[in-house]
Amino acid sequence: MADELRFDGRVVVVTGAGAGLGRAYALLFGSRGASVVVNDLGGGRHGDGSSTKVADTVVDEIRRAGGKAVANYDNVLDGDKIIQTALDAFGRIDIVINNAGILRDKSFQKMTETDWDLIHDVHLKGAMRVTKAAWPHLRKQGYGRIIMTSSNSGLYGNFGQPNYSAAKMGLVGLASTLALEGVKSNVLTNVIVPTAGSRLTEDIVPPDFFEQLKPEFIAPTVMWLCHEDCSENGSIIESAIGWTGKCRLYRSNGMMLRKNLNDMVTPEDVRNNWDAITSMSGAKAYDSIQEVTGEIMTTLENLKSASSSVSNKELVLHTN
Ligand code: NAI
């Protein structure tokens, strides 16, 4: 196909590529000309143990299909070693897909600091370390694509996942800033929010639904986000069952509780206007922190001119 999306000459690192979503990404990239580093420490779903088998199996699958791949068995916390594998084997790094993940589900009441730390280490610190090791190479060559993997548990919360949802939302914050810091060097960062049938979800999803949740339905979206023709940056892209869409934060129009510059705000002002403050009718999405702070400045300017027109009126009344 003439307009097929190709990755010839590109090198991609996929973390946690021995199973589930990461495996689907690695196989698809391998089939489109990319050289793939298949990273996986081969542990259990709670972060226990390790084995070289899962990464080796995926490397074999890619090679048997005619693609190029090498295995890496490091923990994502050793991000520099994972990126070094790409440099040693293929001489460059172009695309980083931060996908490795584990679960330690507990309600907040039962969650221990170990549950918190293990999840943050793998999801948030691991993604930071792998990306940080690749970052100078991507910037220097003026091309790079980074994927962070978040979750609806992060965006909306999920009972029993306080540690996981915090780490997953942390990745959204990290991606938002990397998107700004990388754009001048054509290093673009986006977030994928998948819902897929995998060992992380096999016991919580009904079997017929599980069948429809193939990671292969999500991999093409991740692939497009990583292509040099794709200019999407700093976005949260949700994908499942062959459906893909974009998520954004929306803010209500809110309400100015001061009528002029000399007014203070009381807790009762807030209580009495709570419905208007929180009404989402006419809510807007913002593209940048500058847009948000700019709007605060405009609201302040409006307050200043309202205050001065009030005092001008007072002046007129007094002089009459
Ligand atoms: P999976 O358990 O099938 O695959 C994750 C892989 O990561 C495993 O092969 C595991 O060995 C590897 N891994 C775990 N810790 C690692 C570490 N420290 N270093 C290197 N490799 C490590 O899971 P699945 O479902 O494919 O999940 C992939 C990502 O997508 C995870 O980040 C997960 O949190 C996220 N996600 C998955 C959803 C789903 O519906 N399956 C929903 C939302 C997010």
Side-chain angles (χ1 to χ4, degrees):
M1 237 201 302
D3 70 341
E4 189 181 74
L5 292 177
R6 297 289 308 176
F7 291 83
D8 304 289
R10 298 289 184 206
V11 178
V12 56
V13 162
V14 184
T15 70
L21 286 156
R23 174 178 169 274
Y25 304 157
L27 292 175
L28 188 57
F29 274 97
S31 74
R32 296 299 180 102
S35 301
V36 188
V37 175
V38 176
N39 157 263
D40 206 302
L41 58 59
R45 70 191 289 223
H46 303 299
D48 47 305
S50 65
S51 143
T52 56
K53 194 171 159 228
V54 286
D56 286 345
T57 306
V58 175
V59 167
D60 281 351
E61 283 182 277
I62 293 172
R63 287 185 182 160
R64 265 190 278 116
K68 296 183 273 300
V70 293
N72 170 285
Y73 318 112
D74 288 306
N75 189 318
V76 281
L77 285 169
D78 293 320
D80 51 344
K81 292 187 187 162
I82 300 172
I83 297 304
Q84 195 58 48
T85 298
L87 300 175
D88 291 345
F90 304 118
R92 57 185 292 136
I93 174 68
D94 298 289
I95 297 162
V96 177
I97 302 180
N98 293 291
N99 165 81
I102 55 167
L103 291 177
R104 301 270 298 195
D105 290 358
K106 302 262 176 67
S107 66
F108 191 52
Q109 175 87 5
K110 294 189 182 135
M111 187 197 81
T112 64
E113 291 241 354
T114 306
D115 296 324
W116 175 271
D117 289 343
L118 282 171
I119 287 293
H120 276 75
D121 276 356
V122 174
H123 291 274
L124 191 50
K125 194 183 266 189
M128 180 278 289
R129 289 219 174 129
V130 177
T131 306
K132 190 140 170 61
W135 191 253
H137 302 280
L138 306 181
R139 287 190 52 191
K140 195 165 162 214
Q141 72 201 13
Y143 170 78
R145 294 290 183 270
I146 296 163
I147 299 289
M148 300 294 176
T149 305
S150 188
S151 165
N152 280 321
S153 300
L155 302 185
Y156 306 104
N158 198 19
F159 196 99
Q161 297 194 310
N163 48 355
Y164 181 77
S165 50
K168 285 306 201 189
M169 206 52 182
L171 286 161
V172 172
L174 176 60
S176 304
T177 293
L178 295 192
L180 296 174
E181 294 189 4
V183 69
K184 259 204 297 194
S185 316
N186 186 28
V187 177
L188 310 185
T189 305
N190 290 288
V191 176
I192 187 77
V193 177
T195 300
S198 77
R199 70 174 184 173
L200 292 190
T201 51
E202 64 194 346
D203 50 358
I204 48 175
V205 175
D208 50 339
F209 185 36
F210 191 86
E211 247 314 284
Q212 292 303 316
L213 293 173
K214 290 191 199 325
E216 288 76 12
F217 290 134
I218 296 165
T221 296
V222 169
M223 175 164 269
W224 166 240
L225 289 171
C226 294
H227 197 268
E228 61 194 31
D229 290 348
C230 179
S231 57
E232 195 73 34
N233 190 27
S235 297
I236 306 170
I237 304 296
E238 185 181 342
S239 187
I241 63 163
W243 170 92
T244 293
K246 179 165 170 168
C247 304
R248 296 182 79 180
L249 287 176
Y250 273 71
R251 201 193 69 181
S252 75
N253 280 330
M255 188 181 175
M256 175 44 110
L257 297 168
R258 297 160 70 196
K259 295 218 167 18
N260 69 64
L261 276 180
N262 299 325
D263 283 352
M264 288 305 292
V265 178
T266 68
E268 292 72 26
D269 291 334
V270 179
R271 176 196 61 196
N272 297 341
N273 292 290
W274 193 242
D275 285 350
I277 289 168
T278 58
S279 165
M280 294 308 282
S281 132
K284 276 198 300 191
Y286 293 83
D287 284 323
S288 67
I289 193 168
Q290 287 78 8
E291 217 185 308
V292 175
T293 43
E295 196 156 297
I296 292 175
M297 298 312 289
T298 308
T299 308
L300 185 60
E301 289 307 317
N302 292 343
L303 182 68
K304 279 186 189 160
S305 41
S307 302
S308 67
S309 73
V310 169
S311 50
N312 284 344
K313 270 190 211 144
E314 279 166 2
L315 200 65
V316 173
L317 286 176
H318 285 305
T319 48
N320 285 346

